[in-house]
Amino acid sequence: MMTNAQGLTAKTNEFALNFKDFGLPTTGPLPKVNWINPQLEFTSNVQNKIELKASVECYSALKEIKLIIGSSKDGSVIGTKTFPTKADQQKYDIHTSITLPDGSNFLSLEVTTVQGVVVSERRQIVIGKIDDNNAIALDRKDYILIFATNKYDNWDDLVNPVDDSQAIAKELKDKYGFVVDMVENPTVEMVWEKLREYNERKFAPQDQLMIFFAGHGHYDESFGEGFVVEKNSLANDVSRTTYLSHNRLRGVINNIGCSHILLAMDVCFGGTLDPVIARSRGAKENELTNNQLLLRKWGHKTRKYLTSGGKEYVSDGIVGKHSPFASKLIESLRSRGGDDGILTLTELQANLEKMNQLPRFGSFGDDEALSDFVFVSRR
């Protein structure tokens, strides 16, 4: 069988081709489903009524756009709704109110072209007061990706970044079950290659990813931008092309397909990662169970950062001792978040606030207001 190939770039849960009667069809550009609300693949909501917002982009003739509502427990269909389409219309905005029963439900938007191509995107929503023990995925994982640099080709060597990172990794692995991926003394090229690897990974909806940089940092007043310095970065690089640009780091990390990301940096001028340093306190949620708290946190996309300082140099510490930032971070991790065994960024911030050089907390990219990155202790 001879076929003609075409480029395909799409994120979809399901993709179907009907070539029973006609062979492999000439599909043209594929439809694209953009979820606005709910945005994440997995969310929870205490109220039964939700507002569904989405858009469909298509540059070929459509046959049908259908919403399928069903039970995630047994896959049964609760209801369907078809949205009107026009042959020459290229963008379809969908906004409708839906009432869902208590429990775990799914919403699936299916777009069918006249050539028989079906593109669908699915969202899972946990509604109301249910057995939330079953709503926390058993196969969810927490990851930490660490870039730690002690040795430099063109900059002064440092004392503690690798030891600090190993100690932090041990606490996260032993007490919180994190999967550790550590790169010691990487070149700039190695950092980008590793980040590309994570951009191509598939993460589960409740997975969390922490990315940690330890080493030299630099700020360029002329460019008005901060940089991370790696092993092979030049000492007098006027163009800064051998450094890791904060702007590019934000974009690349924001694009990783993990819903919950914390970027932590123990480098000089780390606070310049975000043009606006945002600091906020959240209220304690005493009325919720631990699992209800986690479901609420993981129901919003997370893009948070934590840095050892702002627009300033930070201490590397002395031989045999951790840097001040790493030491306080390790101390906080050892607390396990107190009696509930959940360490939130709000609690972490409170533990770090008394440091002489004040760490910076904030958000970047597609962060949502009610999101958080949490460390769940293994007891």
Side-chain angles (χ1 to χ4, degrees), residues 284-339:
K284 294 183 178 179
E285 299 163 271
N286 297 322
E287 297 81 4
L288 300 181
T289 66
N290 284 355
N291 283 344
Q292 287 171 337
L293 173 63
L294 293 175
L295 286 173
R296 177 177 293 183
K297 300 293 187 185
W298 292 334
H300 303 275
K301 193 167 187 177
T302 309
R303 294 293 186 268
K304 304 292 189 189
Y305 72 82
L306 163 63
T307 67
S308 56
K311 189 178 175 182
E312 58 194 343
Y313 291 98
V314 293
S315 173
D316 178 39
I318 61 177
V319 178
K321 292 185 178 295
H322 297 302
S323 75
F325 174 79
S327 180
K328 202 67 177 176
L329 178 57
I330 292 168
E331 178 185 317
S332 299
L333 292 173
R334 287 175 177 170
S335 74
R336 297 179 184 263
D339 294 337

Side-chain angles (χ1 to χ4, degrees), residues 42-50 99-105 124-135 288-289 291-293 295-296:
F42 178 92
T43 56
S44 62
N45 195 19
V46 295
Q47 297 182 348
N48 297 86
K49 187 175 182 179
I50 68 166
T99 300
L100 298 173
D102 285 354
S104 184
N105 306 273
Q124 181 180 354
I125 305 178
V126 177
I127 295 293
K129 297 180 179 180
I130 64 168
D131 180 9
D132 45 72
N133 289 312
N134 295 326
L288 300 181
T289 66
N291 283 344
Q292 287 171 337
L293 173 63
L295 286 173
R296 177 177 293 183

Side-chain angles (χ1 to χ4, degrees), residues 243-260:
Y243 302 168
L244 299 177
S245 156
H246 284 183
N247 282 336
R248 188 179 179 193
L249 276 176
R250 285 198 306 268
V252 170
I253 293 173
N254 182 59
N255 194 54
I256 293 175
C258 181
S259 296
H260 312 289

Side-chain angles (χ1 to χ4, degrees), residues 322-357:
H322 297 302
S323 75
F325 174 79
S327 180
K328 202 67 177 176
L329 178 57
I330 292 168
E331 178 185 317
S332 299
L333 292 173
R334 287 175 177 170
S335 74
R336 297 179 184 263
D339 294 337
D340 62 3
I342 299 174
L343 178 65
T344 67
L345 285 185
T346 301
E347 293 169 328
L348 188 59
Q349 179 180 3
N351 293 340
L352 298 176
E353 271 190 336
K354 292 183 179 180
M355 291 184 62
N356 185 41
Q357 287 181 308

